Amino acid sequence: MIEKSNILPQEKEIVLEIKNLNKSFADNHVLKNFNMKLYKGENLVIMGKSGSGKSVMIKCLVGLIQADSGIISVMHKDITTLNQTALDILRSDIGFLFQGSALYDSMTVRENLEFPLRRHSSRFEKNMDTNTLVMEALENVGLAHAVDLMPAELSGGMQRRVALARTLILQPKIILYDEPTSGLDPITAKEIIILMQDIQKKYNTSSLIITHDVDCARAISDRMVLLIDGTNYAEGTYDTLSASTDPKVKAFFKH
Amino acid sequence: MSGISNIKSHIQTFLKEIGELSYFTARFFKETFRKPFEFKEFLRQCYSMGNRSLVLVGITGFIIGLVLTLQTRPTLMEFGAVSWMPSMVGISLIREIGPMITALVCAGRIGSGIGAELGSMRVTEQIDAMEVSGTNPFKYLVVTRVLATTFMIPLLVIIGDAIGLYGSYLVEHLKGDVSFQLYFNQVFESLEFGDIIPATIKSFFFGLAIGLVGCFKGYYCGKGTAGVGRAANSAVVFTSLLLFIIDFIAVFAADIFYDL
Ligand SMILES: Nc1ncnc2c1ncn2[C@@H]1O[C@H](COP(=O)(O)OP(=O)(O)OP(=O)(O)O)[C@@H](O)[C@H]1O
Ligand SMILES: [Mg+2]
C-alpha cells in the first residue's frame, strides 16, 4: 500500500517570506536585499558568521527591529502594516527562542511560563487551567521537577530547555530559534536538537533555525540558506551545500 | 581652548539627554492612561522599594536629626535661644533637608537598582521576550516602576522626617531635659501648611525624577555588562543633578508664591 502523501505532489504553502530586506545601523549596512521563504512544516536552517546579521534578520521578522526596506510577510500578513493589537495576535502564533534564553530572572520557572499566557489565555478552552499547561510544557522538555526554581538555579542547558518550554506554551505554528545550541556542550546541544525534532513531529510546526553549528545544521535541516555579506548567498540542502566548490560556502563546512 | 570645548561637549550631551528624557516622559504619561494597568506589578514594586530603602532612610534621617541638633545647639545657647530648637529643626528638616536627603539616598538605592535591573533585562533580551509574548514592556516595566517611585518617595520622606525629628528630640531630651510632648508640640506649632505642602509636592517630583531617569537609563541600556554598569551609574549621577535642579525650581516657585 502506498501512502497518500507520496502520490500527491508536495503541497508547499509559504508561511513566512522575506523579500529584499535591508537594514543598516549608521554606516554598518548589515542586511542587503536578503530574501528567504519558509514552507509549512519544514526546518530551514540559516547559517552565517558571527556578526553577519542573523539575529537582526530574525528580529525584523517579529517586528522587534524596524527594517529599513523590504517586505516581511508572516502567514500572508505584511507585518510592517499591522497595528499593535494585530501584531500581538500574529506574534502569539510565532515562538521565539532567544539566543541567550532570555528567561525573566526575577520570576520562577512557573511564572516565566505563565507570562505568555497572561495575554493569550483566550487561545485555550476555558476549562484549561494554567497549571496543566505549564506542567505539560515542562514535561515536554523533561523539567517538570524544576517548576519552582529560579532561572539562576538552573544550568545553561536547563535554562535553554525552560526557554523552549516557554516558547512552546502557546503552541505556535512557527518557531524561530536563534542559536539554540550556542554556549552548550556537544552532548547537551544534541539533547536540545532531539527535543526540537520531537516538537516538530508532535506539533507539526515550521521552524527557522539560526546557527553556526554545522552538526546542528546537518541533524535538523531540510533546507539551508547561507547568509553571507548581508544577503542570501547560497541555498540548498545540507548535502548540496557541503559539496559546493564556492570558497565562501566551503568555509562553513570544513572542520 | 580644549577645556572650553570639553565643557561645551558636556553641556551638549546633557541637553541631548534632557531632550531624550522629555520624550521618554511624554511616552510615560501617554502609556499610563492606556489599558491595561499592571496593578499587581505596581504593588510588587512599591513593596520592594519600601522594603529595600526603609532602613537606609531611617538611619540617615536619624543621623541628620542628631547632627543638626548637636551642631546648632552651641550657637543657639550663645544667643539664649535653645528653646527655638524644635521649630528650627522642624522647619529645616521638613522643608528642605528631609526631602533632599531621602531623595538622594533613594536615587542611590532605588534609582541605580532600576537602572541596573532594566539594563540587564535589555542586554539579556528579556525586554524583547516580553514584547514578543504580547506584553507591552514599557507599561509592564517602566510605568509601574515610575508610578511606584512617585508614590513611595513622598512616603519615605515622611518617615525620614519623623525619624529625624525623633533623633533631634533625643538630643534635646538628653542635653536639655525636654519632654517628648513639649518638643513635638513646639515642632507642630511652628509648622504651617505653607511648609508642608510645597515639601510634599516637591517630594512627588523627586520620586518621578528618580523613577524616570532610572528607567530611561536602563531601558536604553548599551550593550554588554559594561552597558549595565554605565546605566546604573549614570542613573545616579543624572538623578542627583536633576534633584538639585528640581529643588532649586521648587524653592524659587515657593518664594514667588509667598510674595503674592
Ligand atoms: N541595536 C543595534 N545597534 C547597532 N548595531 C547593531 C544592533 N544590533 C546589531 N547590530 C550590529 O549588526 C551586526 C549583526 O549583528 P547580529 O546580532 O545580527 O549578529 P549575528 O549574526 O546574530 O551574530 P552572532 O552569531 O554572534 O549572534 C553587528 O555588526 C552588530 O554590531
Ligand atoms: Mg545572534
Side-chain angles (χ1 to χ4, degrees):
Chain A
M1 202 172 117
I2 307 163
E3 275 183 46
K4 215 176 172 187
S5 61
N6 288 349
I7 306 171
L8 286 173
Q10 207 182 359
E11 185 186 316
K12 280 195 167 182
E13 189 197 338
I14 297 173
V15 287
L16 207 156
E17 184 167 19
I18 294 180
K19 276 188 203 151
N20 294 324
L21 181 67
N22 280 283
K23 176 71 195 174
S24 18
F25 296 100
D27 299 340
N28 183 3
H29 206 147
V30 181
L31 295 173
K32 300 163 204 155
N33 289 324
F34 181 81
N35 290 282
M36 183 215 77
K37 282 186 188 116
L38 176 68
Y39 296 102
K40 190 168 185 180
E42 89 171 327
N43 289 332
L44 175 65
V45 165
I46 306 230
M47 260 204 337
K49 280 194 297 191
S50 193
S52 57
K54 304 182 297 295
S55 295
V56 170
M57 186 273 294
I58 206 174
K59 282 180 180 171
C60 286
L61 267 179
V62 287
L64 280 173
I65 293 180
Q66 229 70 48
D68 296 339
S69 69
I71 296 170
I72 299 168
S73 65
V74 179
M75 293 187 281
H76 313 296
K77 289 186 185 117
D78 182 353
I79 68 140
T80 48
T81 60
L82 297 178
N83 66 10
Q84 191 62 48
T85 323
L87 185 60
D88 280 342
I89 292 171
L90 186 64
R91 277 171 175 170
S92 70
D93 278 329
I94 309 172
F96 198 128
L97 185 73
F98 285 86
Q99 192 163 352
S101 299
L103 295 177
Y104 308 124
D105 44 28
S106 62
M107 302 180 196
T108 63
V109 168
R110 178 192 300 281
E111 288 165 337
N112 263 283
L113 267 74
E114 281 170 355
F115 202 87
L117 296 172
R118 288 158 33 95
R119 289 279 170 276
H120 298 296
S121 50
S122 57
R123 289 168 71 88
F124 301 98
E125 294 149 42
K126 282 214 183 65
N127 54 11
M128 200 73 166
D129 76 316
T130 352
N131 190 46
T132 322
L133 288 170
V134 169
M135 293 320 292
E136 195 185 296
L138 280 177
E139 269 154 26
N140 272 335
V141 298
L143 278 179
H145 56 93
V147 66
D148 290 315
L149 296 179
M150 299 300 284
E153 295 169 308
L154 306 174
S155 72
M158 289 163 89
Q159 288 184 4
R160 200 62 56 88
R161 284 195 276 168
V162 172
L164 194 52
R166 187 179 66 181
T167 307
L168 292 175
I169 200 160
L170 289 177
Q171 297 172 5
K173 299 192 178 77
I174 303 171
I175 307 183
L176 313 176
Y177 298 92
D178 193 352
E179 306 207 9
T181 58
S182 75
L184 303 177
D185 65 87
I187 298 167
T188 318
K190 194 93 186 280
E191 283 171 15
I192 298 279
I193 292 170
I194 290 168
L195 263 178
M196 289 163 65
Q197 286 167 330
D198 288 349
I199 288 157
Q200 215 270 336
K201 267 188 225 129
K202 193 164 169 188
Y203 298 109
N204 191 29
T205 49
S206 321
S207 314
L208 185 74
I209 301 127
I210 284 180
T211 187
H212 43 212
D213 173 357
V214 183
D215 295 326
C216 171
R218 183 177 41 220
I220 208 154
S221 68
D222 295 325
R223 202 160 59 85
M224 294 175 65
V225 170
L226 295 189
L227 172 50
I228 300 174
D229 302 329
T231 188
N232 46 316
Y233 188 84
E235 284 175 42
T237 60
Y238 180 89
D239 294 331
T240 54
L241 285 179
S242 59
S244 166
T245 50
D246 186 311
K248 281 185 181 174
V249 175
K250 255 166 88 176
F252 280 97
F253 297 96
K254 68 164 180 254
H255 285 280
Chain B
M1 198 53 212
S2 84
I4 291 175
S5 69
N6 203 354
I7 291 173
K8 218 171 125 187
S9 87
H10 271 302
I11 293 178
Q12 264 173 359
T13 326
F14 182 71
L15 291 179
K16 197 169 150 248
E17 295 250 283
I18 292 275
E20 283 165 0
L21 184 63
S22 314
Y23 183 78
F24 191 79
T25 309
R27 184 167 172 204
F28 161 74
F29 282 111
K30 207 175 83 193
E31 303 257 9
T32 302
F33 296 106
R34 264 215 227 133
K35 276 188 187 172
F37 184 64
E38 306 280 358
F39 196 69
K40 221 171 115 187
E41 176 66 9
F42 166 72
L43 284 185
R44 209 172 68 84
Q45 285 305 322
C46 285
Y47 175 76
S48 99
M49 283 171 191
N51 200 12
R52 257 186 303 173
S53 36
L54 192 60
V55 174
L56 207 59
V57 166
I59 293 172
T60 35
F62 187 70
I63 292 173
I64 292 289
L66 280 184
V67 169
L68 201 62
T69 313
L70 278 173
Q71 287 204 326
T72 34
R73 211 160 194 288
T75 320
L76 287 184
M77 285 248 283
E78 222 171 277
F79 293 105
V82 184
S83 58
W84 286 5
M85 186 65 89
S87 332
M88 200 219 78
V89 171
I91 289 178
S92 52
L93 208 61
I94 284 169
R95 275 182 73 155
E96 181 59 38
I97 301 175
M100 199 63 200
I101 295 285
T102 306
L104 283 172
V105 166
C106 291
R109 184 82 181 152
I110 299 176
S112 72
I114 294 177
E117 190 190 8
L118 294 198
S120 82
M121 290 185 78
R122 166 66 72 197
V123 169
T124 57
E125 299 179 313
Q126 291 175 51
I127 294 184
D128 287 339
M130 243 175 219
E131 180 147 4
V132 293
S133 68
T135 294
N136 177 344
F138 197 94
K139 280 194 74 70
Y140 189 82
L141 299 171
V142 176
V143 171
T144 52
R145 278 168 179 74
V146 177
L147 287 180
T149 54
T150 312
F151 284 104
M152 290 309 284
I153 301 298
L155 210 65
L156 288 165
V157 165
I158 292 172
I159 294 168
D161 285 352
I163 296 175
L165 284 175
Y166 188 75
S168 165
Y169 152 74
L170 275 188
V171 174
E172 283 298 281
H173 180 68
L174 293 175
K175 292 220 162 190
D177 210 17
V178 179
S179 80
F180 186 83
Q181 200 167 13
L182 180 67
Y183 186 88
F184 280 93
N185 268 344
Q186 281 206 28
V187 168
F188 288 117
E189 251 167 45
S190 60
L191 279 177
E192 292 169 12
F193 267 119
D195 300 317
I196 297 172
I197 301 285
T200 310
I201 295 175
K202 190 162 78 178
S203 306
F204 274 109
F205 280 98
F206 284 168
L208 191 66
I210 291 170
L212 276 172
V213 176
C215 287
F216 171 66
K217 289 291 182 183
Y219 205 72
Y220 296 115
C221 174
K223 289 207 160 184
T225 35
V228 178
R230 259 199 311 277
N233 187 268
S234 61
V236 179
V237 176
F238 197 56
T239 311
S240 311
L241 197 61
L242 211 57
L243 290 179
F244 283 105
I245 294 173
I246 292 171
D247 193 45
F248 174 72
I249 295 171
V251 171
F252 209 69
D255 197 47
I256 292 172
F257 194 71
Y258 278 124
D259 284 349
L260 291 178

